[in-house]
């Protein structure tokens, strides 16, 4: 469970308590506006002090998700190129991976503005809690409670097939950097605004849920493109 | 939704907000230790002041449930002679009655001690939210959030995401032929057995469920690779 820039110690404490209630342990805080052991947080987290003490505080969201095979963003906003899946349907996908022993990160944004578009672009999956369209914005700790309840309850349901092992986020990041480099080289991306076209391609690859072998395969294609261009530029034939 | 002797205005406010979020309206308070329009309650209930104003304050639980066809108690304690039903299973029974136009009351007890045995004895149904056996006690407003989420989600059946318009097979086929041509050109595929590597790449792209715009985007990348190689082979710079 990753809280991105939470402001209120009361919320952080309530989230810790909820994790404990639902049998989860790992809490990460990215740039929190209050220390995890703030007195108000402790008051709201009876019995969950250990969880607050062990909470990891990080300066960059990318560090938090580096080892994750699946990054799930919670949001009410639809984003181009990505499906927004209701929590109950998404929990099946999340549990399949978790059952396979893979790490899943679930991101919750700021109390007032949620996750930024840039943060949402790091997610494989965007999940929403169905609420009233006119008054839909849940309190942070209640959103966490609902998500954990759903995961816990769905996990106790029927046995599901195990998902295949997905590539950790760090490998995907390496692939995306490599892709950007090659696309800049061949002039597909605008060097002044490389993100414009790249985001769509990243969206496609994240939807495909790549495993490590497939990441290597795609990087093999990228290396071969670079190789072909260099060879031709020396006046050599490709064959 | 009936809160029995709630102590904290913050909790009452958060419960009101949650009701609004989940599209419910009716809140009853039995012997509350704070008035529903307490300033702290109002702070915690942005946009739900109307609901707090209209909340019914009663002195006796029996008055609150007089018109109810089904009285549901939320508790972690098992009680002799009554089943303790997990929320998900119970929500079906609750919704059947509500759909028949009958009134259902759901009782939540005090923050610290919950509902008394006497209060539980007034209930048709005892419902529990599955939590960790050693740290099971949820915050009041979070318990309400979880119950309302479950009722709302079960009521709507699975709100499945609408499938976006996918590219017709003919377009995918065109993309795959184009991909094969470029991969042969750069020597990534073995001309004697092009299918070997191509099938994996096709598998990735099919899993991504491409739409027509994305097919065109990918073909744009392929054209650009060919363009770059031709340009370089004429001794021209890429930039």
């Amino acid at each position: 469970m990753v809280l991105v820039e939470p402001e209120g110690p009361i919320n952080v404490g309530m989230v810790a308590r909820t994790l404990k209630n639902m049998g989860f342990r790992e809490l990460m805080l990215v740039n929190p506006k209050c220390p995890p052991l703030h007195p108000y947080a402790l008051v709201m987290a009876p019995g969950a002090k250990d969880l607050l003490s062990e909470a990891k505080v990080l300066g960059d969201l990318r560090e938090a998700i580096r080892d994750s095979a699946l990054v799930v963003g919670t949001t009410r906003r639809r984003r181009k190129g990505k499906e927004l899946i209701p929590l109950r349907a998404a929990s099946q996908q999340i549990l399949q991976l978790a059952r396979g022993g893979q790490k899943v990160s679930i991101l919750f944004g700021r109390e007032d503005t949620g996750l930024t578009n840039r943060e949402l672009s790091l997610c494989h999956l965007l999940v929403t809690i169905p609420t009233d369209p006119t008054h839909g914005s849940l309190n942070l700790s209640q959103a966490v409670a609902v998500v954990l309840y759903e995961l816990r309850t769905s996990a106790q349901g029927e046995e599901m097939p195990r998902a295949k092992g997905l590539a950790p986020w760090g490998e995907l990041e390496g692939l995306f950097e490599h892709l950007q480099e090659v696309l800049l080289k061949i002039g597909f991306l605008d060097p002044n605004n490389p993100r414009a076209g790249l985001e769509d391609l990243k969206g496609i690859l994240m939807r495909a849920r790549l495993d490590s072998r497939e990441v290597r395969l795609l990087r093999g294609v990228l290396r071969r493109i670079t190789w072909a261009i260099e060879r031709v530029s020396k006046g050599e034939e490709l064959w």
Side-chain angles (χ1 to χ4, degrees), chain A:
Chain A
M1 218 55 47
V2 182
L3 305 187
V4 179
E5 301 198 354
E7 297 226 4
I10 290 183
N11 276 326
V12 171
M14 285 179 80
V15 167
R17 173 177 173 175
T18 306
L19 281 161
K20 196 96 178 189
N21 289 153
M22 294 298 183
F24 292 75
R25 286 213 60 84
E26 233 183 307
L27 177 62
M28 291 190 179
L29 306 172
V30 177
N31 278 327
K33 300 308 174 201
C34 55
L37 291 169
H38 188 289
Y40 287 179
L42 289 170
V43 166
M44 297 312 288
K49 188 182 171 186
D50 53 343
L51 214 145
L52 286 170
S53 310
E54 292 160 19
K56 278 188 204 126
V57 177
L58 300 163
D60 183 352
L61 176 56
R62 284 164 191 269
E63 284 175 62
I65 61 177
R66 195 164 303 276
D67 303 328
S68 294
L70 186 73
V71 180
V72 181
T74 55
T75 183
R76 296 177 56 216
R77 258 176 300 156
R78 198 167 291 279
R79 210 181 124 72
K80 203 183 68 174
K82 285 207 171 134
E83 280 179 303
L84 189 61
I85 302 177
L87 173 60
R88 185 154 297 174
S91 68
Q92 302 302 323
Q93 300 189 38
I94 294 170
L95 289 166
Q96 278 182 15
L97 276 162
R99 285 221 171 88
Q102 304 214 61
K103 195 164 163 183
V104 178
S105 292
I106 304 182
L107 315 188
F108 292 86
R110 296 148 195 86
E111 284 91 336
D112 46 357
T113 55
L115 295 165
T116 63
N117 281 339
R118 187 159 171 69
E119 287 155 0
L120 292 174
S121 76
L122 298 173
C123 300
H124 297 85
L125 201 65
L126 299 186
V127 168
T128 196
I129 298 172
T131 51
D132 188 275
T134 53
H135 296 273
S137 176
L138 281 171
N139 166 278
L140 172 61
S141 69
Q142 290 181 299
V144 174
V146 166
V147 168
L148 296 184
Y149 160 75
E150 180 63 56
L151 289 175
R152 191 180 166 93
T153 303
S154 298
Q156 291 171 340
E158 335 144 34
E159 273 299 314
M160 281 172 297
R162 228 184 239 207
K164 64 168 191 163
L166 299 192
W169 176 254
E171 290 181 16
L172 280 189
E173 210 167 27
L175 170 64
F176 295 155
E177 280 164 19
H178 195 166
L179 179 64
Q180 175 168 346
E181 187 190 301
V182 172
L183 292 179
L184 280 169
K185 193 181 183 73
I186 65 172
F188 183 79
L189 296 177
D190 175 0
N192 297 316
N193 185 17
R195 291 171 51 88
L198 193 62
E199 287 305 309
D200 285 338
L201 293 169
K202 281 164 67 174
I204 292 170
L205 292 172
M206 288 175 78
R207 281 209 313 272
R209 305 285 156 75
L210 303 171
D211 62 26
S212 296
R213 194 186 59 79
E214 290 167 335
V215 168
R216 288 195 298 276
L217 177 71
L218 290 168
R219 295 193 67 160
V221 173
L222 294 173
R223 270 195 305 280
R224 194 77 193 183
I225 295 170
T226 308
W227 172 89
I229 289 172
E230 279 171 13
R231 197 172 165 89
V232 166
S233 71
K234 292 184 210 149
E236 291 170 36
E237 290 293 315
L238 282 178
W239 291 100

